[in-house]
Amino acid sequence: MSHDVLDACGDLLRNSRHLLVFTGAGMSAESGLPTFRDSDNSLWARWPPETLASAEGFRDDKALVWGWYAWRMANIAKATPNAGHNALAELEDLRADLAVITQNVDDLHERAGTRRIVHLHGSIFQSRCFACARPFVGYEIPDGAIEDPSLRIMPPKCRHCGGYVRPGVVWFGEALPVTAWSQSEQWVRECDLLLVIGTSGVVQPAASLVSMARRRGVTIILIDPGQSEHVASVDHHLRMGAGTALPALLERVKSAR
Ligand code: APR
């Protein structure tokens, strides 16, 4: 990667007043968490999304679905924020205008220290009752879950109505959380620079936030070592991992202070 592109992006960050960051699974790849589509180890390369990420799939086989999410929860809990998460959190310390919209259901942004954030696709640790939707807290992930994604584990039952508990993530065919979506639209309306990090851009309506920014004439920087549908609509494409690009951009912002 040429340093002048990084320098130019560093200048854009320094001169922006409302920096918005939009992240996908690639943001957590360097923390050891699998992405969904871009490699043979990606989740949807190994399992059918309709079976594991739909209400239908949960109704058909609660133990298979809950066991798979327990495996994901255990691996996320074991993972740590990478240099990219940490750089974003440090950048927020330097500039309170920074906001993060993430498609990720892990909590690595928060564990790195990011505070202004919305989760468009929910949060894996915020389980709730499938019947009455009340939050369910205090789930203890069984020991065997971390090794075996196919371990069948019956979900816990709601302490209020006795219904089965489901993961707090948005499944295919489900609506996005209203508050998270309206907050995201507002941040897109306000931003003057958009950093798109680690997302293939194939899932709607999340991906439409980037075209919304484009239509407003917002400058867009993509951080992705691979391909993304967003490539055609960005001003700069840093073909690097988030864990390398973000610390490099942070250095350029700090060195000019
Ligand atoms: N740094 C930055 N980007 C990376 C890295 C990295 N280290 N490693 C991989 N990537 C890129 C890939 O090149 C790809 O473009 O991250 C992107 C991951 O794309 P997906 O796996 O499709 O993940 P994402 O775009 O977040 O998926 C969107 O699909 O199934 C749903 O709910 C799920 O939120 C998810 C949504």
Side-chain angles (χ1 to χ4, degrees):
M1 170 59 53
S2 60
H3 280 265
D4 48 6
V5 180
L6 265 172
D7 290 342
C9 291
D11 292 343
L12 287 167
L13 258 77
R14 269 202 305 279
N15 300 327
S16 66
R17 290 290 161 270
H18 295 284
L19 174 58
L20 180 57
V21 178
F22 179 55
T23 66
M27 183 75 226
S28 300
E30 288 158 274
S31 295
L33 297 180
T35 55
F36 288 95
R37 296 176 181 80
D38 67 313
S39 81
D40 295 345
N41 188 42
S42 292
L43 295 177
W44 300 149
R46 297 172 59 190
W47 290 283
E50 58 281 358
T51 308
L52 292 166
S54 74
E56 206 54 41
F58 184 71
R59 283 192 201 93
D60 290 350
D61 194 339
K62 294 178 182 59
L64 176 74
V65 173
W66 185 263
W68 188 72
Y69 279 93
W71 168 73
R72 289 184 65 193
M73 286 183 211
N75 281 282
I76 289 169
K78 190 181 84 177
T80 52
N82 62 53
H85 294 108
N86 295 330
L88 278 184
E90 194 175 334
L91 201 50
E92 186 181 354
D93 292 340
L94 299 175
R95 42 184 307 172
D97 61 297
L98 189 148
V100 177
I101 301 170
T102 189
Q103 299 170 88
N104 298 340
V105 296
D106 65 54
D107 58 351
L108 294 179
H109 279 303
E110 290 88 339
R111 283 162 55 191
T114 288
R115 294 174 300 281
R116 285 182 90 217
I117 183 169
V118 292
H119 283 258
L120 275 185
H121 293 159
S123 301
I124 198 166
F125 296 116
Q126 289 177 10
S127 307
R128 65 175 187 272
C129 176
F130 192 59
C132 74
R134 277 182 174 75
F136 180 86
V137 292
Y139 179 65
E140 293 284 322
I141 304 169
D143 292 343
I146 195 159
E147 284 87 24
D148 183 358
S150 53
L151 191 64
R152 300 171 65 81
I153 304 172
M154 277 306 282
K157 288 198 171 175
C158 173
R159 298 185 186 95
H160 178 78
C161 77
Y164 283 108
V165 170
R166 57 163 288 171
V169 304
V170 178
W171 279 331
F172 287 101
E174 295 186 324
L176 270 56
V178 175
T179 317
W181 180 254
S182 50
Q183 179 63 79
S184 300
E185 286 188 310
Q186 185 187 332
W187 280 343
V188 169
R189 281 193 296 271
E190 290 166 356
C191 75
D192 58 10
L193 181 62
L194 176 63
L195 268 185
V196 178
I197 308 170
T199 178
S200 57
V202 299
V203 172
Q204 297 295 356
S208 69
L209 293 171
V210 177
S211 4
M212 213 182 281
R214 189 80 199 150
R215 283 195 300 276
R216 283 196 54 238
V218 174
T219 303
I220 305 175
I221 298 170
L222 174 66
I223 296 175
D224 192 324
Q227 277 312 322
S228 161
E229 291 294 310
H230 293 307
V231 169
S233 51
V234 303
D235 299 277
H236 299 283
H237 181 187
L238 297 175
R239 287 185 178 285
M240 309 160 82
T244 309
L246 288 166
L249 291 172
L250 175 67
E251 272 324 300
R252 283 160 174 77
V253 170
K254 285 162 64 175
S255 61
R257 292 174 76 85

